[in-house]
Amino acid sequence: MQTYFIEFSYLLASILFILGLKGLSHPETAKRGMHLAEFGMLMAIIGTLMHHEIMTYTWIITGLVIGSLVGLAMGVWVPMTAMPQRTALSHAFGAFAAALVGISEFYRVYITGGHLERITMSALGFEVMLGALTTTGSLLAFAKLQGMVRGTPMTYKGQNIFNMALLAVTISIFIYLIFVPGSMALFFTMVGLAFIFGLLLVMPIGSADMPVVMSLLNSYAGLASAATGFVLNNKVLIIAGTLDGFSGFILSILMCRAMNRSMTNVLFGAFGSVATTGAAGELQGSMREVSLEDVATQLAYANKVVFVPGYGLATAQAQHAVRELADVLEKRGVTVKYGIHPVAGRMPGHMNVLLAEANVPYSSLYELEQINPEFPSTDVSVVVGANDVVNPDARENPASPIAGMPILDVDRSKSVVVLKRGQGKGFSGLENPLFFKPVTGMLYGDAKDTLTRLVQAVQHA
Ligand code: NAP
């Protein structure tokens, strides 16, 4: 009876994970998808706790309480803008758990004088290796995104060759252990090297590429969990780990595509270490500052306005203010749309999440391919704290490091207003010729503050 219940809860959990992932693929169903996946996780935990092999619940409950408290604190106190680092930390925890399970299983078999079958040792080695490198890799990603460590790529001569050599040694030990699993010293050498490799893997990657790396690490953590499932003979872990592993991998590929970069370039290209001066070519003209009153008048008498949010919207937490301005404009009969770049902000779907929080209707959000043809008929494009995703160099300057990256063609609108605090660069560290074009007016200040003042000004225009 107990076995049936466990099997049933695992089956239900697996179905809920798949439905959850499906739901997460669209903003309208994302919340429901998340709840389904949460419920699935609850079922998986309940099923696992029913196992008759469990001799005492003391440590399990201790872990459950500590984990829940940490999770709760992270959920309550970590701001939306710090979500990428928070995710990196969660990956580190998950991967460390997978590595520890593998290490303890190896140790248990070793001290009881048992023998690990080749297939079990393969899964265990895979789990420990991926778990260990994901742990340190994610911790370094966290430190870079949190600003605790320099965010720019850390490179040195022969780095890629050294990393590849270290990986080759680690994998060789792993293969040796599959055939001769009895050496504790070699096993721990492999674990140690994998921990070091995680750091070396992330070191040369700049913060701008960190989201791609993180979803790749997420994919590794998922595959490590799937391997744990094989070691422990736990079906739900195999299914959940595989889903996690492959969805993370697909997400990495999608992000690379949105930036027109290859995965190899992200992992080995040390993007962001390039000298940025001159990368934008000779910048023509100068930046033209505009007044709040001028912008308010332009907006109030426009037919069509497109808001283009970027990372600055997130840091300023300006999503409610932009919605208020859109409401005021719509009341005046202006058509308002939002142009959403797939990598605007610092994580996939960043802008969708923020705008959904401010109840911006999904029907007003337009993806890059949908909105780009509309810019020539747009009276005013308002760039809210975006930079790289509207950099025309990506389209026009083949020498630019972001050449070929699809961008939002705001410079093709009749007028562009850029809301930003000053001369700060985007995450790529590149100069943006858009700000120097005659069509563009710069309205300086914190995005939330500027938008709030614009609401007042438009009402009186
Ligand atoms: P961005 O290029 O990083 O530019 C953000 C701009 O916002 C800055 O130039 C900054 O200028 C301004 N800003 C910051 N705080 C502000 C505030 N409080 N009020 C007003 N403006 C503010 O952002 P983006 O255009 O969204 O581009 C995203 C970047 O991240 C791209 O390079 C993309 O490739 C990279 N990336 C994203 C993802 C993802 O999943 N989303 C994944 C990988 C890489 P000031 O300092 O002058 O204010």
Side-chain angles (χ1 to χ4, degrees), residues 208 311 315 343-348 385 387-388 420-422 424 426-427 446-447:
Y311 180 61
T315 50
V343 293
R346 290 293 177 266
M347 59 182 181
N387 194 337
D388 293 342
K420 69 203 292 285
R421 294 164 309 177
F427 223 77
D446 173 76

Side-chain angles (χ1 to χ4, degrees), residues 207-212 255 259 271 309-313 315-317 342-351 384-390 402 405 419-428 435 444-448:
S207 304
D209 280 337
M210 222 36 90
V212 183
M255 275 195 264
M259 296 188 288
F271 183 73
Y311 180 61
L313 177 99
T315 50
Q317 287 293 293
V343 293
R346 290 293 177 266
M347 59 182 181
H350 205 167
M351 298 299 115
V384 186
N387 194 337
D388 293 342
V389 298
V390 291
I402 57 165
M405 167 172 150
L419 312 188
K420 69 203 292 285
R421 294 164 309 177
Q423 317 287 319
K425 300 212 171 72
F427 223 77
S428 68
F435 307 153
Y444 294 117
D446 173 76
K448 184 178 174 184

